Amino acid sequence: MSISEKKQAWQATVEKSMAKAPERRNSFKTSSDNELERCYAPQFDYPGYEEHLGFPGQFPFTRGVQPTMYRGRFWTMRQYAGFGNAAESNERYKYLLSAGQTGLSIAFDLPTQMGYDSDASMSRGEVGKVGVAIDSLADMEVLFDGIPLDKVSTSMTINSTASILLAMYIAVAEKQGVTADKISGTIQNDILKEYMARGTYIYPPKESMRIITDIFAYCKDNVPKWNTISISGYHIREAGSSAVQEVAFTLADGIAYVEAAVKAGLDVDEFAPRLAFFFNAHNNLLEEVAKFRAARRMWSRIMRERFKAKDPRSQMLRFHTQTAGCTLTAQQPDNNIMRVTLQALAAVLGGTQSLHTNSRDEALALPTEESVRIALRTQQVIAYESGVADSIDPLAGSFLVESLTDQIEQQAMAYIEKIDSLGGAVEAISRGFQQKEIQDSAYAYQRAIEKDETIIVGVNKFTVEEGAPQGLLKVTDEVEVKQKQALTAMKGQRDGAQVEKTLKALEAAAKGTENLMPYILDAVKSYATLGEIANVMRGVFGVHRETVVL
């Protein structure tokens, strides 16, 4: 069968998809009134086309995971936001939704990420600084006040305490009259990259993996629309990895999670369709596009060949993208608008399912409303004005892009084979393999900047004299004072005996083998605090100590 005949056969998949969700317009044309096809394919013999590229919505998904991609609907536009207390963040979310954002993305402060309440000694000076402070269900109720959780998809960047925050979200939805099977969103819940790149871990790897697989099993039965993990390459790249390392280490982590879930007794096709990924987008536009395409192709083959997944949804790599925070500069911060535009364009050309665009002032402070609006408008201009979303995978067939896609796949697979030889991702992390590779890559990049081999506009070339930045958003220490006061008041109003009962039940479950999620949910509903719940599990599981790599 020729490629043109295969394309005609693919149209049946398209028609089936369009019966459920029509395309945005009846026809897509350029400014010169030239009609754009849904998906372009070679008009000549292209050896290996079906094996390596295929068509959107079909294995190996190189060209996208949906048959119509953005012609059906645009990617979800999420702006990662959260600061201060729940009331302040709630105002920001409502502002973003009114400005056209189509999904929420929640940033939590460091104490929340690390399992400490705002009144803990470890939290001093960090409450509400890099995200919103959440101590209990009471804060979560304020955070989503007036936001209908059956109408909004919410992504929560949370890892060690993901089970607790998900339980709080479920409880808030129930208070709104929305059952758990109606809510949709994502928890990051990716602990392995914390050990190698970010550091917001609490428990040792074995116990952390138990919590993660408990979430998989619980959501399969109770929260079916929820993406139970967002396997993250973003922070690996932020720590200094190359594009190849980002793909390799992320997919190796994904393999480890699938293996853990299967070992826990789950069928791969029961949970794999709800796995999601989270990647970084950097400035080298063509490499980034190739990276996304290679990652999709690699994951489809890993799931089909290694794990024998039969459901096509289990073979799809669906991913969120965030533009690269580490590329933003404090010098000439308006230059960051151009950087973010390039990165966002790469994510769209690479077929992302959702996107966050960083703000120009994030190298200096939390973004202002004006900066957030510019970042959101960047996505909207790409979507509605650039035309790149009117045809699927528009860079396919480029000799350069296809060559880069193949090279990234080959180099990333070599890394995965090395990790397999070390005993898998968890064992390789314990030996410090990924950490050292990332550190070496980050060092080489920094040396290239220092030697002017890599140019950063406004930093080591095209510099100007600049005054002190003005109009930055600052979170004051008053936030911490008020958060502690609210926490004390909440503890005085709750049923202490019920809190103690639910925490004791959680402790007993943690010492055994039962799924922890129902017990965490009961504790949350009793208004046990995040720190109290985390401390119960610290007492049973212990805490992880970092592997030092020289």
Side-chain angles (χ1 to χ4, degrees), residues 4 16 22 41 61 132 161 194 281 366 381 528:
S4 61
K16 185 177 179 181
F61 303 104
V132 60
T161 54
E194 298 295 328
L366 290 169
V381 169

Side-chain angles (χ1 to χ4, degrees), residues 354-370:
S354 67
L355 177 61
H356 162 84
T357 33
N358 289 334
S359 298
R360 59 182 174 175
D361 48 6
E362 287 189 48
L364 297 161
L366 290 169
T368 62
E369 280 196 359
E370 180 185 11

Side-chain angles (χ1 to χ4, degrees), residues 175-378:
K175 284 178 173 288
Q176 290 186 2
V178 179
T179 54
D181 62 326
K182 298 293 192 298
I183 60 175
S184 63
T186 304
I187 42 172
Q188 193 163 102
N189 198 27
D190 175 8
I191 201 63
L192 292 181
K193 65 92 174 50
E194 298 295 328
Y195 299 125
M196 78 171 85
R198 191 163 176 262
T200 65
Y201 47 73
I202 301 175
Y203 320 110
K206 179 183 176 182
E207 289 73 15
S208 293
M209 294 294 274
R210 174 192 169 180
I211 297 170
I212 288 169
T213 55
D214 279 357
I215 293 171
F216 287 1
Y218 182 83
C219 289
K220 173 182 70 73
D221 295 329
N222 299 281
V223 202
K225 294 182 180 180
W226 199 266
N227 297 319
T228 51
I229 193 168
S230 179
I231 306 162
S232 176
Y234 184 85
H235 305 95
I236 294 170
R237 194 70 180 278
E238 289 288 289
S241 81
S242 67
V244 167
Q245 290 169 339
E246 179 189 358
V247 171
F249 298 163
T250 304
L251 298 195
D253 287 353
I255 290 168
Y257 292 126
V258 174
E259 287 176 342
V262 171
K263 187 177 180 181
L266 297 177
D267 180 86
V268 67
D269 285 318
E270 288 183 324
F271 67 87
R274 301 315 304 176
L275 302 181
F277 289 78
F278 175 22
F279 288 114
N280 210 312
H282 271 234
N283 291 330
N284 193 317
L285 186 142
L286 298 178
E287 180 181 50
E288 293 301 295
V289 173
K291 177 188 78 178
F292 298 130
R293 299 171 83 247
R296 260 197 308 271
R297 186 160 74 202
M298 289 173 66
W299 188 247
S300 71
R301 290 173 174 167
I302 288 168
M303 292 305 292
R304 175 188 273 193
E305 296 166 11
R306 183 165 182 158
F307 294 107
K308 312 304 180 187
K310 296 179 177 60
D311 188 337
R313 296 174 303 160
S314 299
Q315 303 163 5
M316 295 178 185
L317 185 145
R318 298 169 300 113
F319 67 98
H320 170 72
T321 308
Q322 181 172 337
T323 57
C326 64
T327 66
L328 304 183
T329 64
Q331 301 92 328
Q332 301 180 39
D334 282 351
N335 293 347
N336 295 328
I337 297 173
M338 287 75 86
R339 294 185 178 106
V340 168
T341 302
L342 279 173
Q343 294 162 11
L345 182 60
V348 171
L349 290 170
T352 193
Q353 275 60 70
S354 67
L355 177 61
H356 162 84
T357 33
N358 289 334
S359 298
R360 59 182 174 175
D361 48 6
E362 287 189 48
L364 297 161
L366 290 169
T368 62
E369 280 196 359
E370 180 185 11
S371 295
V372 169
R373 185 172 63 250
I374 292 171
L376 177 58
R377 294 289 183 256
T378 300

Side-chain angles (χ1 to χ4, degrees), residues 322-531:
Q322 181 172 337
T323 57
C326 64
T327 66
L328 304 183
T329 64
Q331 301 92 328
Q332 301 180 39
D334 282 351
N335 293 347
N336 295 328
I337 297 173
M338 287 75 86
R339 294 185 178 106
V340 168
T341 302
L342 279 173
Q343 294 162 11
L345 182 60
V348 171
L349 290 170
T352 193
Q353 275 60 70
S354 67
L355 177 61
H356 162 84
T357 33
N358 289 334
S359 298
R360 59 182 174 175
D361 48 6
E362 287 189 48
L364 297 161
L366 290 169
T368 62
E369 280 196 359
E370 180 185 11
S371 295
V372 169
R373 185 172 63 250
I374 292 171
L376 177 58
R377 294 289 183 256
T378 300
Q379 294 198 48
Q380 292 165 335
V381 169
I382 291 172
Y384 291 96
E385 299 184 30
S386 72
V388 299
D390 292 346
S391 185
I392 303 168
D393 193 23
L395 296 186
S398 157
F399 297 129
L400 187 155
V401 169
E402 296 300 352
S403 177
L404 277 177
T405 302
D406 293 343
Q407 289 178 63
I408 290 171
E409 178 180 17
Q410 292 161 8
Q411 293 163 353
M413 281 307 303
Y415 263 121
I416 290 174
E417 288 166 6
K418 173 65 175 177
I419 291 168
D420 283 343
S421 73
L422 293 173
V426 176
E427 179 61 26
I429 289 168
S430 72
R431 297 188 188 191
F433 172 72
Q434 295 96 318
Q435 296 94 310
K436 188 175 188 304
E437 290 292 314
I438 294 168
Q439 290 166 9
D440 288 348
S441 175
Y443 178 74
Y445 179 72
Q446 184 59 37
R447 288 290 293 152
I449 294 173
E450 292 170 358
K451 290 160 45 174
D452 288 344
E453 294 170 355
T454 295
I455 300 301
I456 309 298
V457 174
V459 176
N460 60 350
K461 198 172 181 65
F462 311 115
T463 59
V464 296
E465 290 292 327
E466 297 180 88
Q470 303 295 316
L472 299 178
L473 175 64
K474 296 293 184 184
V475 177
T476 68
D477 292 337
E478 183 66 20
V479 168
E480 182 171 335
V481 173
K482 290 184 177 180
Q483 187 69 16
K484 288 179 178 179
Q485 291 172 345
L487 179 55
T488 300
M490 185 278 297
K491 287 181 177 179
Q493 296 168 359
R494 68 186 183 177
D495 183 340
Q498 181 63 19
V499 171
E500 185 67 19
K501 178 181 177 182
T502 60
L503 292 177
K504 286 290 186 185
L506 173 60
E507 181 180 25
K511 289 177 177 177
T513 59
E514 289 184 84
N515 190 307
L516 296 179
M517 277 302 296
Y519 295 94
I520 293 171
L521 186 57
D522 285 345
V524 160
K525 289 180 178 179
S526 75
Y527 290 86
T529 69
L530 176 135

